[in-house]
């Protein structure tokens, strides 16, 4: 990471600290997101570690990045060789975390605690096709995943369903293709 002080260079900003390594940064791959801390001041930067079975949450405060990140195990090891495209999304209420993987259509459903930065892995789910986009409704009610095949439709999942079977069965196809 690097730090920029926006008060320097006539309010254009200037780098004051450059290219600082973060713990486990060498295992982060592609999927990254950020969300407000429950204190409504700090930020959590979250990524999925590969060649590993954990998520990592970095707390960013006005003082910088906390050197002690929060590690949350999933029990699901993902080798770097299985990763191509994907996304991490957090719902508007900061409660639900979804990691969409191009790993044999195995996606991860989790809960996120915006006070502690911990992630609770719930289950894997299948989307039915290779996803090219994902988003959640602003109220945290639904997950939407778009496929890359024109014969498939946009899929809606009900995030109130907390077990794998009912979540998977909640899928509704909407629209007329990708």
């Amino acid at each position: 990471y690097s730090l920029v002080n926006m008060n320097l260079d006539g309010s254009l900003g200037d780098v004051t600290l450059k290219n600082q390594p973060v713990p486990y940064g060498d295992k982060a791959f592609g999927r990254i997101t950020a969300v407000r801390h429950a204190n409504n001041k700090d930020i959590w930067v979250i990524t999925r570690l590969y060649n590993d079975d954990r998520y990592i949450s970095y707390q960013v405060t006005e003082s910088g990045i906390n050197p002690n990140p929060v590690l949350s195990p999933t029990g699901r090891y993902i080798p770097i060789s299985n990763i191509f495209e994907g996304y991490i999304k957090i719902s508007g209420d900061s409660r639900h975390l979804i990691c969409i993987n191009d790993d044999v259509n195995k996606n991860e459903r989790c809960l996120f605690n915006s006070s502690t930065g911990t992630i609770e892995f719930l289950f894997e789910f299948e989307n039915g096709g290779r996803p090219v986009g994902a988003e959640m409704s602003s109220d945290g009610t639904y997950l939407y995943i778009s496929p890359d095949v024109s014969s498939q439709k946009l899929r809606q999942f009900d995030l109130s369903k907390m077990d794998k079977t009912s979540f998977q069965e909640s899928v509704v196809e909407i629209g007329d293709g990708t």
Side-chain angles (χ1 to χ4, degrees):
Y1 71 95
S2 299
L3 293 178
V4 176
N5 182 334
M6 292 305 298
N7 294 318
L8 299 177
D9 194 19
S11 296
L12 295 175
D14 199 3
V15 176
T16 58
L17 188 63
K18 188 174 182 178
N19 298 332
Q20 299 300 302
V22 293
Y24 301 94
D26 60 330
K27 288 189 167 195
F29 186 84
R31 289 136 185 85
I32 188 169
T33 193
V35 66
R36 281 204 182 275
H37 188 287
N39 67 16
N40 221 13
K41 182 178 178 185
D42 300 337
I43 300 290
W44 290 108
V45 175
I46 303 158
T47 190
R48 176 67 160 84
L49 299 179
Y50 292 93
N51 286 332
D52 204 303
D53 75 336
R54 298 173 288 184
Y55 284 91
I56 190 165
S57 302
Y58 298 97
Q59 185 178 6
V60 181
T61 69
E62 63 184 26
S63 301
I65 295 177
N66 184 327
N68 301 306
V70 178
L71 291 163
S72 300
T74 65
R76 182 173 180 258
Y77 178 89
I78 298 181
I80 196 80
S81 61
N82 285 17
I83 301 306
F84 301 100
E85 297 177 10
Y87 320 91
I88 290 181
K89 299 289 183 169
I90 295 185
S91 60
D93 63 1
S94 301
R95 185 168 178 243
H96 304 280
L97 182 145
I98 299 291
C99 185
I100 303 297
N101 293 305
D102 189 24
D103 175 17
V104 195
N105 297 317
K106 299 292 185 182
N107 306 296
E108 297 176 342
R109 168 92 193 269
C110 306
L111 294 177
F112 178 68
N113 183 319
S114 63
S115 294
T116 65
T118 56
I119 296 164
E120 177 187 351
F121 175 77
L122 297 177
F123 52 81
E124 284 180 347
F125 69 97
E126 293 189 24
N127 176 44
R130 187 172 149 228
V132 295
E135 194 56 74
M136 285 185 252
S137 60
S138 60
D139 63 359
T141 305
Y142 297 107
L143 167 67
Y144 297 93
I145 300 177
S146 62
D148 72 339
V149 180
S150 62
S151 62
Q152 293 179 334
K153 298 179 180 181
L154 178 68
R155 301 180 116 212
Q156 174 186 282
F157 294 86
D158 185 343
L159 290 170
S160 71
K161 308 297 184 190
M162 299 303 287
D163 66 278
K164 181 177 182 171
T165 301
S166 62
F167 179 77
Q168 198 72 58
E169 290 174 351
S170 77
V171 69
V172 175
E173 288 188 338
I174 52 180
D176 292 322
T178 59

